PDB file of all heavy atoms in Angstrom:
ATOM      1  N   ARG B  49      68.675   7.590 143.838  1.00 69.00           N
ATOM      2  CA  ARG B  49      69.000   8.834 143.140  1.00 69.00           C
ATOM      3  C   ARG B  49      68.701   8.674 141.654  1.00 69.00           C
ATOM      4  O   ARG B  49      69.160   7.730 141.023  1.00 69.00           O
ATOM      5  CB  ARG B  49      70.482   9.202 143.320  1.00 69.00           C
ATOM      6  CG  ARG B  49      70.909   9.395 144.745  1.00 69.00           C
ATOM      7  CD  ARG B  49      72.320   9.965 144.809  1.00 69.00           C
ATOM      8  NE  ARG B  49      72.310  11.403 144.621  1.00 69.00           N
ATOM      9  CZ  ARG B  49      73.166  12.070 143.855  1.00 69.00           C
ATOM     10  NH1 ARG B  49      74.062  11.432 143.165  1.00 69.00           N
ATOM     11  NH2 ARG B  49      73.098  13.374 143.755  1.00 69.00           N
ATOM     12  N   ARG B  66      81.582   8.268 144.487  1.00 93.00           N
ATOM     13  CA  ARG B  66      81.018   8.252 145.841  1.00 93.00           C
ATOM     14  C   ARG B  66      81.949   7.535 146.821  1.00 93.00           C
ATOM     15  O   ARG B  66      82.084   7.947 147.977  1.00 93.00           O
ATOM     16  CB  ARG B  66      79.645   7.573 145.815  1.00 93.00           C
ATOM     17  CG  ARG B  66      78.974   7.551 147.176  1.00 93.00           C
ATOM     18  CD  ARG B  66      77.585   6.959 147.131  1.00 93.00           C
ATOM     19  NE  ARG B  66      76.607   7.959 146.755  1.00 93.00           N
ATOM     20  CZ  ARG B  66      75.292   7.805 146.950  1.00 93.00           C
ATOM     21  NH1 ARG B  66      74.826   6.700 147.484  1.00 93.00           N
ATOM     22  NH2 ARG B  66      74.453   8.760 146.606  1.00 93.00           N
ATOM     23  N   MET B  87      81.123  20.332 154.307  1.00 96.00           N
ATOM     24  CA  MET B  87      81.339  19.999 152.906  1.00 96.00           C
ATOM     25  C   MET B  87      82.463  20.835 152.319  1.00 96.00           C
ATOM     26  O   MET B  87      83.219  20.383 151.453  1.00 96.00           O
ATOM     27  CB  MET B  87      80.040  20.189 152.121  1.00 96.00           C
ATOM     28  CG  MET B  87      78.895  19.317 152.586  1.00 96.00           C
ATOM     29  SD  MET B  87      79.199  17.554 152.327  1.00 96.00           S
ATOM     30  CE  MET B  87      78.505  17.338 150.677  1.00 96.00           C
ATOM     31  N   LEU B 101      80.710  18.095 145.105  1.00 93.00           N
ATOM     32  CA  LEU B 101      80.340  16.915 145.887  1.00 93.00           C
ATOM     33  C   LEU B 101      78.882  16.544 145.681  1.00 93.00           C
ATOM     34  O   LEU B 101      78.506  15.378 145.831  1.00 93.00           O
ATOM     35  CB  LEU B 101      80.607  17.167 147.365  1.00 93.00           C
ATOM     36  CG  LEU B 101      82.060  17.541 147.722  1.00 93.00           C
ATOM     37  CD1 LEU B 101      82.178  17.829 149.213  1.00 93.00           C
ATOM     38  CD2 LEU B 101      83.017  16.423 147.316  1.00 93.00           C
ATOM     39  N   TYR B 102      78.069  17.531 145.340  1.00 90.00           N
ATOM     40  CA  TYR B 102      76.632  17.269 145.226  1.00 90.00           C
ATOM     41  C   TYR B 102      76.258  16.562 143.923  1.00 90.00           C
ATOM     42  O   TYR B 102      75.082  16.283 143.692  1.00 90.00           O
ATOM     43  CB  TYR B 102      75.854  18.575 145.396  1.00 90.00           C
ATOM     44  CG  TYR B 102      75.965  19.117 146.803  1.00 90.00           C
ATOM     45  CD1 TYR B 102      76.805  20.190 147.099  1.00 90.00           C
ATOM     46  CD2 TYR B 102      75.262  18.523 147.851  1.00 90.00           C
ATOM     47  CE1 TYR B 102      76.926  20.670 148.394  1.00 90.00           C
ATOM     48  CE2 TYR B 102      75.381  18.995 149.152  1.00 90.00           C
ATOM     49  CZ  TYR B 102      76.218  20.073 149.410  1.00 90.00           C
ATOM     50  OH  TYR B 102      76.343  20.541 150.694  1.00 90.00           O
ATOM     51  N   TRP B 103      77.251  16.280 143.092  1.00 89.00           N
ATOM     52  CA  TRP B 103      77.007  15.392 141.974  1.00 89.00           C
ATOM     53  C   TRP B 103      76.830  13.958 142.482  1.00 89.00           C
ATOM     54  O   TRP B 103      76.240  13.115 141.791  1.00 89.00           O
ATOM     55  CB  TRP B 103      78.179  15.423 140.992  1.00 89.00           C
ATOM     56  CG  TRP B 103      78.246  16.653 140.142  1.00 89.00           C
ATOM     57  CD1 TRP B 103      78.945  17.790 140.415  1.00 89.00           C
ATOM     58  CD2 TRP B 103      77.604  16.878 138.896  1.00 89.00           C
ATOM     59  NE1 TRP B 103      78.778  18.711 139.411  1.00 89.00           N
ATOM     60  CE2 TRP B 103      77.956  18.171 138.456  1.00 89.00           C
ATOM     61  CE3 TRP B 103      76.761  16.101 138.099  1.00 89.00           C
ATOM     62  CZ2 TRP B 103      77.489  18.700 137.268  1.00 89.00           C
ATOM     63  CZ3 TRP B 103      76.302  16.626 136.898  1.00 89.00           C
ATOM     64  CH2 TRP B 103      76.667  17.925 136.503  1.00 89.00           C
ATOM     65  N   TYR B 104      77.343  13.682 143.662  1.00 90.00           N
ATOM     66  CA  TYR B 104      77.415  12.303 144.142  1.00 90.00           C
ATOM     67  C   TYR B 104      76.571  12.052 145.394  1.00 90.00           C
ATOM     68  O   TYR B 104      76.218  10.911 145.685  1.00 90.00           O
ATOM     69  CB  TYR B 104      78.876  11.941 144.432  1.00 90.00           C
ATOM     70  CG  TYR B 104      79.743  12.166 143.225  1.00 90.00           C
ATOM     71  CD1 TYR B 104      80.458  13.353 143.059  1.00 90.00           C
ATOM     72  CD2 TYR B 104      79.821  11.215 142.216  1.00 90.00           C
ATOM     73  CE1 TYR B 104      81.233  13.575 141.932  1.00 90.00           C
ATOM     74  CE2 TYR B 104      80.583  11.432 141.083  1.00 90.00           C
ATOM     75  CZ  TYR B 104      81.285  12.611 140.946  1.00 90.00           C
ATOM     76  OH  TYR B 104      82.035  12.830 139.819  1.00 90.00           O
ATOM     77  N   VAL B 105      76.281  13.083 146.155  1.00 91.00           N
ATOM     78  CA  VAL B 105      75.394  12.966 147.313  1.00 91.00           C
ATOM     79  C   VAL B 105      74.447  14.159 147.302  1.00 91.00           C
ATOM     80  O   VAL B 105      74.798  15.233 146.826  1.00 91.00           O
ATOM     81  CB  VAL B 105      76.171  12.920 148.646  1.00 91.00           C
ATOM     82  CG1 VAL B 105      76.974  11.641 148.764  1.00 91.00           C
ATOM     83  CG2 VAL B 105      77.069  14.141 148.805  1.00 91.00           C
ATOM     84  N   ASP B 106      73.265  13.965 147.859  1.00 91.00           N
ATOM     85  CA  ASP B 106      72.281  15.046 147.863  1.00 91.00           C
ATOM     86  C   ASP B 106      72.481  16.008 149.025  1.00 91.00           C
ATOM     87  O   ASP B 106      72.236  17.208 148.897  1.00 91.00           O
ATOM     88  CB  ASP B 106      70.865  14.468 147.912  1.00 91.00           C
ATOM     89  CG  ASP B 106      70.487  13.758 146.618  1.00 91.00           C
ATOM     90  OD1 ASP B 106      71.006  14.147 145.565  1.00 91.00           O
ATOM     91  OD2 ASP B 106      69.683  12.813 146.679  1.00 91.00           O
ATOM     92  N   THR B 107      72.900  15.476 150.182  1.00 93.00           N
ATOM     93  CA  THR B 107      73.045  16.305 151.371  1.00 93.00           C
ATOM     94  C   THR B 107      74.267  15.879 152.177  1.00 93.00           C
ATOM     95  O   THR B 107      74.796  14.779 151.994  1.00 93.00           O
ATOM     96  CB  THR B 107      71.810  16.192 152.299  1.00 93.00           C
ATOM     97  OG1 THR B 107      71.770  14.862 152.842  1.00 93.00           O
ATOM     98  CG2 THR B 107      70.521  16.483 151.554  1.00 93.00           C
ATOM     99  N   ASP B 110      73.442  12.739 154.104  1.00 95.00           N
ATOM    100  CA  ASP B 110      73.611  11.504 153.333  1.00 95.00           C
ATOM    101  C   ASP B 110      75.059  11.035 153.385  1.00 95.00           C
ATOM    102  O   ASP B 110      75.339   9.840 153.534  1.00 95.00           O
ATOM    103  CB  ASP B 110      73.207  11.727 151.875  1.00 95.00           C
ATOM    104  CG  ASP B 110      71.697  11.825 151.687  1.00 95.00           C
ATOM    105  OD1 ASP B 110      70.960  11.583 152.665  1.00 95.00           O
ATOM    106  OD2 ASP B 110      71.271  12.142 150.565  1.00 95.00           O
ATOM    107  N   LEU B 111      75.968  11.959 153.256  1.00 96.00           N
ATOM    108  CA  LEU B 111      77.386  11.616 153.262  1.00 96.00           C
ATOM    109  C   LEU B 111      77.825  11.083 154.621  1.00 96.00           C
ATOM    110  O   LEU B 111      78.622  10.139 154.710  1.00 96.00           O
ATOM    111  CB  LEU B 111      78.215  12.841 152.867  1.00 96.00           C
ATOM    112  CG  LEU B 111      79.707  12.618 152.627  1.00 96.00           C
ATOM    113  CD1 LEU B 111      79.936  11.450 151.672  1.00 96.00           C
ATOM    114  CD2 LEU B 111      80.344  13.882 152.084  1.00 96.00           C
ATOM    115  N   LEU B 114      76.811   7.528 154.837  1.00 97.00           N
ATOM    116  CA  LEU B 114      77.723   6.683 154.064  1.00 97.00           C
ATOM    117  C   LEU B 114      79.020   6.438 154.831  1.00 97.00           C
ATOM    118  O   LEU B 114      79.559   5.319 154.838  1.00 97.00           O
ATOM    119  CB  LEU B 114      78.028   7.337 152.711  1.00 97.00           C
ATOM    120  CG  LEU B 114      76.860   7.455 151.732  1.00 97.00           C
ATOM    121  CD1 LEU B 114      77.251   8.329 150.544  1.00 97.00           C
ATOM    122  CD2 LEU B 114      76.424   6.076 151.248  1.00 97.00           C
TER     123      LEU B 114
END
Side-chain angles (χ1 to χ4, degrees):
R49 301 189 82 224
R66 182 176 275 197
M87 299 295 270
L101 303 177
Y102 293 103
W103 285 93
Y104 304 96
V105 292
D106 291 331
T107 67
D110 286 353
L111 188 50
L114 294 170

